[in-house]
Amino acid sequence: MTPPSEKTAIGLINQPLTLPCGLLLPNRLVKCPMRETLAVAPFFDPPVDKFVNLYTKWADANYGLIITGQVQIDIRFLSIKGDVVCHDKATEEPHFSKWKQWAKIAQAGGTPCVVQLAHPGRMSPAGAGNRPADMPALCPSSVPVKLGDSWLDKMALDKVLGTPRAMETEDIDAVVADFVRGARVAKEAGFAGCQLHGAHGFLLSQFLSPHTNRRTDSYGGNPEGRLRLLKRLVAGIREICPPPFCLSVKLNSADYMAEGGLTQDEALTQVRWLVTCGMVDFVEISGGNAENKTSKLHHSFGAKSLEKAPQMSESTRIREAYFTEFAERVQGLTLQVPIQLSGGFRSRTGMADAIDSGVCSLIGLGRTAVLQPNIPRALLLNPSVPDEAALAQSHIVRGQWFARMIPVKVVGAGLAIQFFYHNMRRLGNGLQCDPDVSIPWVVFEGLMETFRSGLMQTVQRVLQSLPVVDNGKGD
């Protein structure tokens, strides 16, 4: 162990780390998964023409690991317009070549990249995905999302998300097959691994939470039953994707609901299984869902978390990340598997302190990686930048008054995160990030894009309906 007098913040976060599968990470900084919203219908394949701009920035930035944005495993159920999908024809051409190009682009700088696999479950809105309008979303139990108590909130939620259908055993088997297929596609395309998204209220998180899993069969009823689907997925993926392929799981530290949600105690039992099963290479910790009341991650758009970088001290820990308390409880499990802590990190010293104290082994950067894609190379690992100046940009989102004015919570509550989706689309289009853009402008641009795309589709339909005239000049 390095003596305290010789420890430096850069030295701590620049340490390489070998995962249990043998994958070597050059440092401790991880680009977290953020939905890029750039894929297009009908197949929602990796949009290589956009990803070559976006992922090249991250590939050249000197992260220790890159985790892709969500890849949905069922083309019928997307979480948002623009999700990439690993559909049942993904290994066929012309689809598979796009996957291989994506893997090559993302790892061109020498940083390994893993694919986050996801299913939104009850969080799949109407119109997101290739499914009939009357096909409901899926959930372990038929528990609709609740946001607000007004008749307007209830009506909007019924139109946008509706009441999900409780899954049959056959549905669960199909989900397992789809996740396993996603892992196989990632492996064959050349990615270093995959991550199962079991947080933020998506399908795996819904199975893990007693709020949304009210089943009485072997997939519910108690903590062991609620964990069964995740266990099947881990075992099924490991069977076809052995080491050195990396397998990670992202979990909630809690649902942060007023009552009835996943508690930290039950979340701890889930982590305990993951870190002792011998099949998982690292666990990412986050928290919250669409209905949460107190998660700092989901209520962090309107205030500066730091004015200046704190100083490291052996006697006083910085505790910068949102879910530090739970991560400290996890460390009591005597781990053989690294823990990634995501959400809230902004300073080099805060990140280094988390590693030095043993709270985590990996530092997840999500929104920061959008606002400052090159932050590892330019700032955090740059020795010419002193510790006191090594501070990421604030995450303040401008124009939140606009979101608060909207009387429907299902609409207003989701506007702040659109700021980051907007900026990823800018990066994908070869533009620079715009940290000063406001929510009203993002909404306006979205409406204009919808109008333009709708107009183009109308023009195309009109042109296709016109009779073909032979002008006598050949082809």
Side-chain angles (χ1 to χ4, degrees):
M1 178 177 291
T2 305
S5 61
E6 297 181 17
K7 292 179 181 177
T8 66
I10 285 184
L12 286 164
I13 63 177
N14 202 30
Q15 296 175 90
L17 178 68
T18 301
L19 300 180
C21 64
L23 181 66
L24 176 63
L25 309 186
N27 63 62
R28 305 302 181 92
L29 302 176
V30 180
K31 196 289 291 181
C32 283
M34 292 278 287
R35 288 174 285 187
E36 305 95 351
T37 68
L38 287 165
V40 296
F43 292 105
F44 304 99
D45 288 324
V48 176
D49 60 326
K50 308 291 186 181
F51 280 0
V52 71
N53 296 319
L54 180 60
Y55 275 84
T56 294
K57 290 184 179 295
W58 290 325
D60 292 341
N62 199 22
Y63 289 92
L65 179 69
I66 295 171
I67 307 177
T68 72
Q70 286 182 31
V71 170
Q72 306 304 335
I73 49 91
D74 190 331
I75 200 166
R76 299 173 301 172
F77 303 105
L78 275 63
S79 68
I80 194 172
K81 177 184 177 182
D83 280 343
V84 174
V85 177
C86 184
H87 49 76
D88 57 3
K89 293 180 173 58
T91 56
E92 302 175 8
E93 293 300 344
H95 314 291
F96 192 51
S97 60
K98 298 175 184 177
W99 279 87
K100 291 189 289 186
Q101 289 177 69
W102 185 15
K104 185 176 180 180
I105 292 166
Q107 299 174 119
T111 297
C113 179
V114 302
V115 175
Q116 187 187 71
L117 301 175
H119 189 303
R122 68 175 185 155
M123 299 304 298
S124 180
N130 295 348
R131 70 179 191 266
D134 60 350
M135 178 183 285
L138 301 178
C139 189
S141 305
S142 185
V143 181
V145 176
K146 183 179 180 181
L147 280 174
D149 297 316
S150 72
W151 67 269
L152 202 56
D153 286 317
K154 293 175 181 177
M155 182 180 70
L157 275 168
D158 184 62
K159 295 295 184 183
V160 175
L161 293 174
T163 299
R165 176 174 66 82
M167 296 173 69
E168 303 289 342
T169 303
E170 293 78 12
D171 297 315
I172 296 174
D173 292 340
V175 162
V176 172
D178 288 344
F179 269 102
V180 171
R181 180 186 65 231
R184 179 169 57 84
V185 170
K187 180 176 183 291
E188 293 179 359
F191 286 97
C194 70
Q195 181 184 71
L196 303 178
H197 189 356
H200 299 171
F202 288 85
L203 184 65
L204 299 187
S205 177
Q206 292 162 30
F207 269 90
L208 295 170
S209 172
H211 172 63
T212 42
N213 187 345
R214 305 176 188 181
R215 304 175 69 94
T216 57
D217 63 3
S218 60
Y219 287 96
N222 54 54
E224 180 67 21
R226 290 190 282 270
L227 191 55
R228 186 183 175 199
L229 173 58
L230 183 58
K231 287 184 174 182
R232 279 192 66 185
L233 292 176
V234 169
I237 289 172
R238 262 297 172 237
E239 184 177 351
I240 67 162
C241 300
F245 188 80
C246 173
L247 176 57
S248 168
V249 177
K250 181 170 186 169
L251 282 185
N252 269 0
S253 56
D255 283 345
Y256 297 94
M257 299 179 64
E259 59 183 17
L262 177 71
T263 64
Q264 284 199 3
D265 287 341
E266 184 167 344
L268 197 64
T269 67
Q270 296 167 359
V271 175
R272 180 180 290 110
W273 182 80
L274 290 171
V275 300
T276 58
C277 70
M279 294 181 283
V280 174
D281 296 300
F282 72 94
V283 176
E284 180 184 358
I285 293 174
S286 190
N289 63 27
E291 298 168 303
N292 80 82
K293 305 295 183 183
T294 59
S295 168
K296 293 181 180 179
L297 176 65
H298 293 76
H299 298 84
S300 58
F301 297 105
K304 288 186 177 181
S305 55
L306 288 174
E307 292 288 348
K308 62 179 181 179
Q311 292 184 341
M312 290 182 63
S313 168
E314 287 291 328
S315 59
T316 305
R317 290 302 177 186
I318 296 174
R319 300 172 64 85
E320 191 171 284
Y322 297 139
F323 307 109
T324 297
E325 178 187 348
F326 181 74
E328 289 174 338
R329 294 187 65 187
V330 169
Q331 293 304 323
L333 300 176
T334 312
L335 303 178
Q336 301 297 319
V337 173
I339 296 297
Q340 174 184 327
L341 192 54
S342 303
F345 286 113
R346 287 201 41 228
S347 70
R348 176 197 289 160
T349 49
M351 299 171 197
D353 184 80
I355 293 170
D356 188 44
S357 66
V359 167
C360 63
S361 299
L362 295 167
I363 304 295
L365 303 175
R367 299 169 189 170
T368 293
V370 178
L371 295 177
Q372 297 169 275
N374 195 40
I375 192 169
R377 186 178 299 280
L379 190 76
L380 299 175
L381 301 178
N382 185 350
S384 68
V385 179
D387 286 349
E388 57 269 23
L391 186 67
Q393 290 179 19
S394 172
H395 291 159
I396 288 181
V397 177
R398 299 175 185 272
Q400 293 192 67
W401 57 267
F402 183 80
R404 290 190 290 268
M405 284 179 58
I406 297 177
V408 184
K409 288 187 178 181
V410 70
V411 177
L415 288 181
I417 194 65
Q418 294 295 327
F419 165 87
F420 296 96
Y421 299 154
H422 168 84
N423 274 303
M424 273 190 286
R425 288 192 292 271
R426 284 182 61 88
L427 294 172
N429 287 318
L431 303 173
Q432 295 299 311
C433 179
D434 182 2
D436 296 321
V437 69
S438 68
I439 290 178
W441 180 254
V442 171
V443 171
F444 174 74
E445 279 208 342
L447 291 173
M448 290 302 297
E449 177 58 32
T450 300
F451 173 76
R452 285 193 295 266
S453 61
L455 181 62
M456 286 301 297
Q457 290 174 5
T458 301
V459 171
Q460 288 172 358
R461 284 195 294 267
V462 171
L463 291 176
Q464 290 168 359
S465 68
L466 296 176
V468 178
V469 178
D470 186 353
N471 59 16
K473 296 182 181 180
D475 294 334

